[in-house]
Amino acid sequence: MSPLRRLGLIAAVIGTVVLMSLTANAATATWTVMPDDQSATADGLSAVSCPSVSFCLALGSNGPEPESFQWNGSAWALSANIGQADESNLTGISCMSATYCLAVGWNFYHGSTAAAWLWNGSSWSNLTAYNPATKWNSLNAVKCVSASYCEAVGSYSKYEGFGQHALAEVWNGSTWTGQPVNGAKGPVPGVLDAVACASASRCEAVGGGLAAGWNGTKWSPQGLPTVNGGQLHGVSCYRTGCTSVGTSSSGGGIETLAETWNGARWALQSPVGSGNVTEAVNTIWSAVHCGRASNCTVVGEWDSASNNYTLAETWNGSKWVEDTTPSPGSGGHHLTALSCTPGTQVCTAVGWTGGTGPILAERN
């Protein structure tokens, strides 16, 4: 063998070993608890958005009072006051920058009406959301494509919380406008819990056993694979499609569920339960982010017979791999929301540890 060919073979072997190492490292992640100051206490955090690594806003509550928390690059701290005690429950947030975030939820003060708040970098201002019914309207999630285009989803009912129907509305930078979610028989029954948009003309929303798509003109319900007890909780869209995650009850306990949208139909991304933690009684996925179809991160919890623990997993295109996540303290733990900063591999998850105390935020 010639010296040049020998060197080429050695280089190829080294390159293969390095690639294998990088691939193995990329398959899993180690999450750490993010530091916070003494003001950052809450019953739990319900939503988070991180437009940059050094800035995030998260929503939570302390008793009946809604709160927002800000990450400044080194610690979480209580942010400017949002809403009033007993007034608002805010569960969705989307930030375009450190000076533009939109939060949504519902308002108890005048009955259950859809609520929206705008962050300008230093304070929150109340917006008048669209309400199709006199009472019992709620927004659960929001996604902004730009400061002048944000989609929010939830539900409404004209029968005091019963007979809920899917709700969608759009923010154009100054006003909210309702968008009917209709099927062949009129308004679509159900609750939409999550929304993701690849562009202003392509969004997907999911909740429970319901999925709906926005094509730039109208929302339309979409068929889902038949899964026993299937419940979709989170969705993420990318250039070629979308991935949604949730739970099923097809086995002895609660199992993981992941489905993909290819632009024409929904299908199982992997077998039901393929993300189950081996020693778990239940494995629950709450939120997802995908850079592409073969690279997704989910967060949630797994339950033993006596406690529950934080959970994060990574999809590498062929299987789900469990990440390492801390579960501080002795109470129950759950990661409810996830935000991955655009253009980076940095993801931030928030949730609760059971009872009022330090907020729970983790980063990979």
Side-chain angles (χ1 to χ4, degrees), residues 321-335:
V321 180
E322 186 179 350
D323 294 343
T324 301
T325 59
S327 294
S330 58
H333 308 84
H334 184 83
L335 295 175

Side-chain angles (χ1 to χ4, degrees), residues 129-170:
Y130 168 74
N131 285 275
T134 305
K135 288 187 175 182
W136 314 112
N137 307 267
S138 67
L139 292 174
N140 298 325
V142 62
K143 178 61 178 178
C144 293
V145 175
S146 68
S148 59
Y149 193 91
C150 302
E151 287 282 353
V153 299
S155 66
Y156 72 95
S157 171
K158 297 182 180 180
Y159 307 104
E160 298 188 353
F162 297 95
Q164 292 172 302
H165 290 84
L167 171 62
E169 52 190 86
V170 61

Side-chain angles (χ1 to χ4, degrees), residues 7-164:
L7 286 173
L9 179 60
I10 293 173
V13 171
I14 292 174
T16 300
V17 171
V18 170
L19 180 60
M20 290 175 62
S21 176
L22 290 174
T23 302
N25 290 337
T28 60
T30 298
W31 296 68
T32 58
V33 174
M34 301 170 74
D36 58 71
D37 68 22
Q38 293 182 351
S39 70
T41 61
D43 296 333
L45 298 178
S46 56
V48 64
S49 185
C50 301
S52 72
V53 173
S54 59
F55 176 83
C56 302
L57 273 185
L59 303 176
S61 64
N62 197 341
E65 183 176 358
E67 294 183 327
S68 65
F69 300 88
Q70 181 175 328
W71 170 255
N72 62 10
S74 58
W76 285 95
L78 189 63
S79 187
N81 184 55
I82 180 171
Q84 301 173 17
D86 295 318
E87 182 180 356
S88 301
N89 187 1
L90 300 178
T91 55
I93 188 169
S94 183
C95 296
M96 294 303 302
S97 68
T99 59
Y100 194 96
C101 299
L102 199 59
V104 299
W106 63 92
N107 214 320
F108 295 108
Y109 190 65
H110 296 292
S112 184
T113 56
W117 294 78
L118 184 64
W119 169 259
N120 64 8
S122 60
S123 63
W124 291 94
S125 57
N126 187 212
L127 306 175
T128 301
Y130 168 74
N131 285 275
T134 305
K135 288 187 175 182
W136 314 112
N137 307 267
S138 67
L139 292 174
N140 298 325
V142 62
K143 178 61 178 178
C144 293
V145 175
S146 68
S148 59
Y149 193 91
C150 302
E151 287 282 353
V153 299
S155 66
Y156 72 95
S157 171
K158 297 182 180 180
Y159 307 104
E160 298 188 353
F162 297 95
Q164 292 172 302

Side-chain angles (χ1 to χ4, degrees), residues 40-358:
T41 61
D43 296 333
L45 298 178
S46 56
V48 64
S49 185
C50 301
S52 72
V53 173
S54 59
F55 176 83
C56 302
L57 273 185
L59 303 176
S61 64
N62 197 341
E65 183 176 358
E67 294 183 327
S68 65
F69 300 88
Q70 181 175 328
W71 170 255
N72 62 10
S74 58
W76 285 95
L78 189 63
S79 187
N81 184 55
I82 180 171
Q84 301 173 17
D86 295 318
E87 182 180 356
S88 301
N89 187 1
L90 300 178
T91 55
I93 188 169
S94 183
C95 296
M96 294 303 302
S97 68
T99 59
Y100 194 96
C101 299
L102 199 59
V104 299
W106 63 92
N107 214 320
F108 295 108
Y109 190 65
H110 296 292
S112 184
T113 56
W117 294 78
L118 184 64
W119 169 259
N120 64 8
S122 60
S123 63
W124 291 94
S125 57
N126 187 212
L127 306 175
T128 301
Y130 168 74
N131 285 275
T134 305
K135 288 187 175 182
W136 314 112
N137 307 267
S138 67
L139 292 174
N140 298 325
V142 62
K143 178 61 178 178
C144 293
V145 175
S146 68
S148 59
Y149 193 91
C150 302
E151 287 282 353
V153 299
S155 66
Y156 72 95
S157 171
K158 297 182 180 180
Y159 307 104
E160 298 188 353
F162 297 95
Q164 292 172 302
H165 290 84
L167 171 62
E169 52 190 86
V170 61
W171 170 253
N172 66 5
S174 59
T175 59
W176 287 97
T177 303
Q179 300 171 318
V181 185
N182 291 332
K185 298 181 180 180
V188 173
V191 178
L192 294 173
D193 292 320
V195 63
C197 298
S199 67
S201 60
R202 189 164 70 85
C203 300
E204 290 292 325
V206 300
L210 173 65
W214 170 256
N215 64 5
T217 303
K218 66 177 182 177
W219 284 95
S220 302
Q222 299 164 335
L224 291 169
T226 301
V227 176
N228 188 32
Q231 299 286 311
L232 295 176
H233 306 310
V235 64
S236 178
C237 291
Y238 34 87
R239 185 177 61 83
T240 59
C242 303
T243 297
S244 182
V245 300
T247 57
S248 75
S249 56
S250 55
I254 299 176
E255 298 187 298
T256 60
L257 173 65
E259 303 181 6
T260 55
W261 170 257
N262 65 2
R265 67 184 184 94
W266 286 96
L268 288 178
Q269 177 238 44
S270 52
V272 173
S274 59
N276 288 357
V277 175
T278 302
E279 61 269 39
V281 176
N282 302 308
T283 306
I284 299 169
W285 283 343
S286 298
V288 62
H289 173 83
C290 301
R292 56 185 183 276
S294 60
N295 181 9
C296 297
T297 297
V298 296
V299 297
E301 71 172 80
W302 68 272
D303 304 337
S304 69
S306 58
N307 208 340
N308 50 1
Y309 306 90
T310 60
L311 174 66
E313 299 187 61
T314 302
W315 172 253
N316 62 14
S318 60
K319 66 178 181 178
W320 288 98
V321 180
E322 186 179 350
D323 294 343
T324 301
T325 59
S327 294
S330 58
H333 308 84
H334 184 83
L335 295 175
T336 57
L338 173 69
S339 179
C340 298
T341 301
T344 75
Q345 297 295 315
V346 178
C347 294
T348 303
V350 300
W352 50 263
T353 58
T356 300

